[in-house]
Amino acid sequence: MSETPIRCAVLGFGLAGKVFHCPFISAVPGLELTAIVQRTGDAAAKAYPSARILRSADEALADPTIDLVVVATPSETHFDLAAQALQAGKHVVVDKPLTSSSKSARALVSLSKVHKRILAPFHNRRWDGDFLTLRKLLHEGTLGRVVEIVSRFDRYRPLQRPNTWKEVASPATGFLYDLGPHLVDQALALYGPPARITAAIHHDRDRTDIDDAFDLVLDYDMPEARALRYSCHATMLAADPSARFLVNGTHGTFRKFGVDPQEPALVADPALRPPSLNSAEPWFPEPESAWGTVTVCRDLAQPGYLIRSTYPTIPGDYRQFYANVRDAILGKASLAVSAEDGYRTLRILDLARESHHQRQTLPVTWD
């Protein structure tokens, strides 16, 4: 570990900066939360008194002591701020979505290569406990040959929220571009690019200026002429949410309810801080009552004889995202979530919009 910490500036202290970035940067040895850009107010100063509070992104970009800039501002600003940071010689983390389209994402990826700087999209849900658990289960092969994965992220927000940029229609807003990057990135992390995509994007609430639900089906052509259906769904009208993950295979089923507890805990208690990554103190292990279940058939000739058991959830840990970014900057590791991953995710989302408008299944191709 370098004796000199990597000095970080977080642009924005809304939900993203307050809940997802500042707490986890602060918990990773080797990173220093040097500055926070908050245009008005003193919430950042109260939460992080050791950090310098700046009133504009320009101040952070002009500071030669800042090594890493974290773009945690409204989505439509991501491209411009990330591009300016790269041109200023900074490494960059960008909250999802990386940009508002795959075309602009490709331009940003190229810019990072020209300036030889790290560009990391914040696809933190690769470190959700449920996803880590699913990955382990698939590696073990307990379910046999997997034929279907259903990934859902349900919320209940029947009324449009006032005074938030997330509910204002733009190319970078809407539920597809809010939660879609996480669900699609997880699919790509598990299986790579699909062969085809079929999408439907909805406006379900009585009043909504943005899309508030979506259904994506990613078709994978597997070896030996087999197929895998990976479905991604989200809605704002699920008062009783469906399973977060449902996986069907030739030997059984995995079902997991509930979302990773890290975000809800930090939203409920803004003063909560993850312990240092070097600490032995656990960081939000999930209670047994929330574990998923595995139902398997030991003898396929007797399909009525099933064994159901709980499957322990691997604790999620968003600190690991920033630990990897630190190591990538120091040249000790490759990025776990690369700029190319951000581009590919957005390409799938662009194709989803196209599939919806054309009302047909489209082949997955790259620009």
Side-chain angles (χ1 to χ4, degrees):
M1 185 74 64
S2 172
E3 292 183 2
T4 303
I6 296 168
R7 299 181 183 90
C8 309
V10 175
L11 311 186
F13 200 67
L15 177 68
K18 188 183 305 180
V19 172
F20 290 110
H21 296 287
C22 291
F24 294 100
I25 291 171
S26 299
V28 174
L31 297 182
E32 176 186 280
L33 182 58
T34 304
I36 302 171
V37 174
Q38 184 182 24
R39 288 184 299 174
T40 60
D42 59 357
K46 290 180 178 178
Y48 296 95
S50 63
R52 288 188 288 118
I53 307 303
L54 309 177
R55 295 307 185 186
S56 74
D58 290 342
E59 291 180 75
L61 300 182
D63 186 340
T65 69
I66 298 297
D67 306 300
L68 172 66
V69 166
V70 178
V71 180
T73 53
S75 298
E76 62 184 9
T77 67
H78 286 184
F79 176 83
D80 287 344
L81 289 174
Q84 292 169 29
L86 290 168
Q87 291 166 339
K90 315 298 186 186
H91 301 288
V92 182
V93 167
V94 186
D95 204 89
K96 54 79 190 169
L98 180 61
T99 65
S100 60
S101 71
S102 58
K103 182 178 180 180
S104 59
R106 173 54 73 202
L108 207 57
V109 171
S110 298
L111 195 61
S112 71
K113 292 178 180 178
V114 168
H115 291 278
K116 298 180 180 179
R117 289 295 180 267
I118 294 296
L119 173 63
F122 189 62
H123 293 172
N124 61 303
R125 292 197 179 275
R126 289 200 198 181
W127 287 270
D128 273 2
D130 46 39
F131 179 71
L132 294 172
T133 303
L134 171 62
R135 195 167 210 167
K136 176 176 181 287
L137 183 65
L138 294 175
H139 179 74
E140 292 172 347
T142 303
L143 304 180
R145 178 172 56 83
V146 173
V147 300
E148 179 184 31
I149 297 179
V150 180
S151 173
R152 297 194 65 100
F153 211 115
D154 293 339
R155 290 176 173 167
Y156 187 61
R157 291 176 180 164
L159 300 181
Q160 183 162 286
R161 293 171 296 167
N163 305 318
T164 173
W165 60 267
K166 287 192 173 185
E167 297 269 8
V168 177
S170 83
T173 55
F175 223 33
L176 180 68
Y177 272 62
D178 184 16
L179 292 183
H182 289 313
L183 302 188
V184 168
D185 176 69
Q186 289 179 339
L188 297 180
L190 289 174
Y191 291 105
R196 293 167 301 281
I197 182 171
T198 310
I201 304 168
H202 312 285
H203 295 70
D204 285 344
R205 294 177 296 178
D206 291 334
R207 178 185 175 186
T208 183
D209 294 325
I210 60 168
D211 58 87
D212 53 17
F214 60 82
D215 303 292
L216 312 181
V217 178
L218 308 177
D219 290 314
Y220 285 87
D221 294 333
M222 308 300 281
E224 299 181 1
R226 302 294 188 176
L228 167 67
R229 297 181 305 282
Y230 195 118
S231 303
C232 302
H233 307 275
T235 178
M236 287 190 181
L237 291 179
D240 187 7
S242 302
R244 172 67 184 88
F245 281 112
L246 172 65
V247 184
N248 291 321
T250 54
H251 288 73
T253 294
F254 172 66
R255 191 187 301 267
K256 172 71 175 72
F257 285 87
V259 298
D260 184 280
Q262 295 176 85
E263 176 185 357
L266 286 163
V267 170
D269 183 3
L272 182 65
R273 295 286 182 270
S276 169
L277 192 56
N278 287 346
S279 170
E281 183 182 348
W283 168 240
F284 263 96
E286 193 173 62
E288 272 190 58
S289 59
W291 289 356
T293 58
V294 172
T295 304
V296 295
C297 180
R298 299 299 184 189
D299 183 354
L300 299 187
Q302 300 184 55
Y305 181 59
L306 301 172
I307 300 173
R308 179 176 289 108
S309 59
T310 56
Y311 195 86
T313 300
I314 298 173
D317 193 347
Y318 299 156
R319 296 173 300 181
Q320 298 295 339
F321 171 88
Y322 273 108
N324 173 255
V325 169
R326 173 200 65 195
D327 293 345
I329 291 173
L330 296 175
K332 297 182 178 181
S334 300
L335 275 177
V337 186
S338 68
E340 191 69 24
D341 291 333
Y343 158 75
R344 290 190 175 189
T345 295
L346 280 165
R347 176 60 178 161
I348 295 294
L349 296 181
D350 284 354
L351 287 170
R353 281 179 170 169
E354 190 176 339
S355 170
H356 169 76
H357 289 308
Q358 294 186 20
R359 298 187 177 184
Q360 64 181 8
T361 300
L362 298 177
V364 172
T365 58
W366 309 109
D367 291 339

